[in-house]
Structures are given as structure tokens and as C-alpha cells.
Amino acid sequence: MNFSQIAQLLVLGMAPLGAGGYALCRAKARPERFGGAKFHSPSWYYGWYGFLWAFLPPLLLAVASWVMRLAGLRPAPDWVLMALAMGLGLAGLIYALRSVNPELRARNSVEGVIHWTLRLSSVLSILITVGIVSSVLFEALQFFSQVSLWEFLTGTAWSPGTAFLGAAGRETEGVAKPLFGSVPLFAGTFLITAISLLVAVPIGLFAAIFLSEYASLPMRRIFKPALEILAGIPSVVYGFFAAITVSPWVVNTAQALGVRADYTNALSPGLVMGVMIIPFVSSLSDDVLNAVPMSMREGSYALGATTSETIRRVLLPAALPGIVAAVLLAFSRAVGETMIVVMAAGLRPNLTWNPLEGVTTVTVRIVDALVGDQAFDSLETLSAFGLGLVLLVFTLILNVISAYIIRRFRQKYE
């Protein structure tokens, strides 16, 4: 039973059966049907009790058959599985109907299922994270078994052009050795990210302060949704804007100042990406500032502080953990952006701190390595996993540092 068949079974069979179980069991859970006896739980708990008994057994069977199919096992013909699933659903519905009585603790049963569902969701989220890390780690270890980790982390040249020869089993003597120095890629990533944060953090934070402390309610209702629209614009549209509008403007401005600038430069995607991530900073910072207790504001005003002094000395320190989380989210969004960089910054690994020159980023090289025509076991393809692992470790370290900052200031202001 594949995923589409499971979806059909959910929509055409199990969902109506569960809805019928809900309606029948809730209708039966009436005191007049049992001589006016008082039920243990509200009637809608009995409805959900019937829904779960009609819905869960066939769902568990469908998921089990799908897992077995993924493992290479064929449990039974699909029509047998579907018939068995519907039979289990009907049997569960009949059992639930027969079980409904005033003594049935339907609330305990339903909330127990919810409890285990939440626990299972937590375990699944952890397992998915472990699976993602493992999938990157194992391929990265295969790459680092052929390329020195020290060379990868400290090398200043990225030129994997001849890596496909080794994967194809061809002679590599007399051919330039492929170079996998990741410093230019990470330098380009941090350069563009730093430019975007220099744009997004001040504007987003100032916008949040204005909306939280200065704007009237009608103005807030207009400005905040308008600002959050920026987060809904596709990144490819930002890429077009960066390549067609911002890059020529940067080049013309640089020429007017007597400075040379490439049409594919780091400044253009940095500026446009900064505009794109403004809502991540402004919206979360606004929510955090509004969550600061009003008593702290009133205490500051009672001591004679002005609005600006209250913001600087009371609100911002108290809201700093949330603001740090907002900046971290914006940073992660900027690091993971690919389309804007491809369209406006180019693909050239260039070790430079000049924002007017073309650079590339880690995510762009990962995409370029994985969608190319190289064999999957070639060094160029495996280098994508090496880059991903290093980026993952760096993000983890950043999360640990931000968690420490958040915990420190939260303890101070609790």
C-alpha cells in the first residue's frame, strides 16, 4: 500500500467511518437512554471515543503496511489490506457503540490517546533530526576520508574541476589536483549574511519599537500586516529585483564615486536579502516587546523616565532574549538563501571582503554540486555533504551561544 492509496483510504473510507463513529457514540451518550443516569464525561468525549475506535485501527494497519513496503516487504495484496482496514474500522465502531455507558471514562481514554500522540510526535521530531544529521554525516565522512579536513577548513581555493576523473576511473596523473578549500565559500556566505543583517536588524528593530510603543492602534493594524507581506514574496522575485534593479544601481553608484563594481557583486544580494528578512526581525521583536509586562513600563514612567529612556533601559533589556531569537532566525534564513545569490552574486568562489566583487555561498555550491552531471560518489558531489556538515556544526554552535545569552538575561529579568 503506497502513500496515495493510504490517502485515498483516509479520505474515502476511514474519515467518513470516523465521523459516523463520532455522531453515533455522541448520540448514544444521553442520560435519557440510560434512565437519567449521569455520564462520567461530556457527550462530545464519547463522540471522540467512537471516532478513535473507528479511525485508529485501520490507520495503524495502513501505516504498518506502508512501512513494510518501504522495508522491501510485501505484506499482502492491496485490496486485501484495504478490505481488512475497513473491517477493522467497522469492528472498532461496533465495539465503541457497545462500550458507551455512564460508567465509561471516555475523557480518560481520549486524553490518553492525545497524550501518547503528543509523545510520539516528540519522538518522531527527534528521530527526524537524527536522521537528517546522520544522512549528512555519513556522506561527509566518506568525503573527508579522501580530502583532508584541515585542507577543507583552511584552504583558500575551491576548484573541483577534475574531481569527476577519479569517480569515472580515469587516469589523473598530469592533471591538476582538485582543490576543496572552503574558506572562499564561507567568506562569501558570511559577507552577504552580514550585509543583510546590517540592513534587517536596525530597520526591523526600529519598526518593532515604533509599532509597539509609538503607533496608534489603527496605524498598527495597517503597518504590521503590510510589513509582513515582505515575508510572503517568493525569493526568486527578490532575485529578479536584485539582478535587474539593484545590481545596475550599485554599479552606477560605484562608477559615480570612482569605484569599480561587478554586476554580480555581494552588495546587491545582501541589500535585497536584508529587505526580505526584515519581517523576521520586526514581527518577532514586536511580539516580544508587547509581551513585556505593563507594570515595568508603568514603574519606569512613575520614576520620571521618558518613553525613549523606558525603551532603552527597560524594554529592550527585558526583551533581549526574544530579540536575540529573532535575529538568529533572520540569520538562519539569510544563510540558507540560494536563489538571490545565484541571480545577483554569481557562482565564482572568490576570497574577498570587497562587497563590490562577485562571490558565492555555501548553499549555492551545495546545489551546484548536487544538481550537476557528476556521479554521486565523485568528490565534487560528496563535497556538498562536507559543506553541509560544517554549516550544520556552525549553526549548532551559534544556537548554543544564543541559548546561553537568552537564559542569562531571562534569569536576570524573571
Side-chain angles (χ1 to χ4, degrees), residues 4 9 14 36-37 63-64 80 90 92 107 113 124 145 174 191 198 212 216 252-253 270 281 344 391 394 404 407:
S4 62
L9 183 62
M14 293 156 55
V63 172
V80 174
L90 287 173
R107 181 182 62 192
V113 172
L124 283 177
S145 66
L191 176 60
L198 288 175
S212 175
S216 62
N252 294 333
T253 303
V281 179
L391 192 62
F394 174 79
Y404 169 76
R407 183 171 62 253

Side-chain angles (χ1 to χ4, degrees), residues 71-298:
L73 303 176
R74 186 175 179 84
D78 291 337
W79 66 270
V80 174
L81 290 173
M82 289 190 175
L84 182 58
M86 295 304 297
L88 286 175
L90 287 173
L93 173 58
I94 294 172
Y95 173 80
L97 276 172
R98 296 183 61 181
S99 301
V100 172
N101 59 71
E103 288 77 23
L104 176 66
R105 298 178 177 270
R107 181 182 62 192
N108 298 353
S109 300
V110 172
E111 292 184 354
V113 172
I114 294 173
H115 171 78
W116 281 103
T117 302
L118 296 176
R119 178 174 291 186
L120 179 62
S121 300
S122 302
V123 173
L124 283 177
S125 64
I126 296 173
L127 293 178
I128 290 172
T129 303
V130 172
I132 293 173
V133 174
S134 301
S135 64
V136 175
L137 179 62
F138 292 143
E139 300 296 337
L141 291 177
Q142 185 177 351
F143 171 73
F144 289 124
S145 66
Q146 304 177 60
V147 176
S148 169
L149 176 61
W150 179 254
E151 175 189 345
F152 181 79
L153 294 177
T154 61
T156 58
W158 182 274
S159 179
T162 59
F164 68 95
L165 295 176
R170 296 167 59 182
E171 185 65 37
T172 59
E173 292 185 5
V175 181
K177 180 183 177 182
L179 301 175
F180 293 96
S182 62
V183 173
L185 306 183
F186 284 98
T189 300
F190 296 140
L191 176 60
I192 295 178
T193 302
I195 295 172
S196 65
L197 290 179
L198 288 175
V199 174
V201 173
I203 296 177
L205 186 57
F206 291 160
I209 292 173
F210 171 76
L211 292 174
S212 175
E213 304 301 321
Y214 292 101
S216 62
L217 185 58
M219 185 179 295
R220 176 183 171 83
R221 289 175 177 173
I222 296 174
F223 274 61
K224 187 171 183 178
L227 192 61
E228 292 175 348
I229 289 176
L230 294 174
I233 299 176
S235 60
V236 67
V237 177
Y238 282 111
F240 278 124
F241 178 68
I244 297 174
T245 303
V246 180
S247 286
W249 175 80
V250 169
V251 172
N252 294 333
T253 303
Q255 289 177 350
L257 297 174
V259 182
R260 181 184 175 277
D262 299 334
Y263 274 94
T264 54
N265 55 74
L267 183 59
S268 299
L271 294 174
V272 175
M273 200 183 301
V275 174
M276 181 184 68
I277 63 177
I278 284 175
F280 292 90
V281 179
S282 64
S283 182
L284 290 176
S285 299
D286 175 53
D287 294 338
V288 171
L289 288 171
N290 283 320
V292 175
M294 185 59 67
S295 59
M296 297 183 69
R297 293 179 175 84
E298 293 172 348

